[in-house]
């Protein structure tokens, strides 16, 4: 599941924008609120394009970015659209 930003709402229809610029309109029942909090284990896309396990340190007040800690213990700020909820088997 990839996060996106709600850009418009008309009735139960939400227009959302993904980090890559894609825009879709979905029904409210098809969208889940972002449930990440400090300590959550998620995946973020590295500059190489690979997905890396990271731990959320903090979510920005505007909810457009977050600070995550990589396995190397380095903390970085990253756009939420570059992260996802892991889908482990």
């Amino acid at each position: 599941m990839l996060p996106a930003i709600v850009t418009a709402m008309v009735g139960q229809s939400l227009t959302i924008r993904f980090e890559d610029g894609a825009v879709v309109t979905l029904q409210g029942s098809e969208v889940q609120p972002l449930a990440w909090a400090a300590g959550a284990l998620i995946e973020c896309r590295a500059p190489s394009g690979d997905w890396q396990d990271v731990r959320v340190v903090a979510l920005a007040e505007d909810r457009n970015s977050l600070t995550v800690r990589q396995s190397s213990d380095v903390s970085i700020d990253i756009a939420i659209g570059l992260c996802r909820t892991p889908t482990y088997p």
Side-chain angles (χ1 to χ4, degrees):
M1 179 182 313
L2 294 172
I5 305 298
V6 174
T7 59
M9 187 169 107
V10 177
Q12 292 296 313
S13 295
L14 303 173
T15 301
I16 59 173
R17 179 182 43 82
F18 292 91
E19 185 70 22
D20 67 359
V23 176
V24 297
T25 300
L26 299 170
Q27 291 300 306
S29 61
E30 299 175 280
V31 178
Q32 295 179 359
L34 186 64
W36 298 340
L41 182 63
I42 63 171
E43 296 176 333
C44 292
R45 190 180 301 269
S48 65
D50 296 328
W51 290 98
Q52 294 181 350
D53 290 334
V54 298
R55 192 157 303 275
V56 176
V57 175
L59 189 59
E61 191 172 311
D62 65 7
R63 299 182 66 85
N64 289 324
S65 64
L66 58 153
T67 303
V68 297
R69 181 170 294 121
Q70 300 169 312
S71 59
S72 61
D73 234 11
V74 173
S75 292
I76 61 168
D77 293 329
I78 191 165
I80 64 163
L82 296 176
C83 301
R84 66 184 183 189
T85 300
T87 53
Y88 300 118

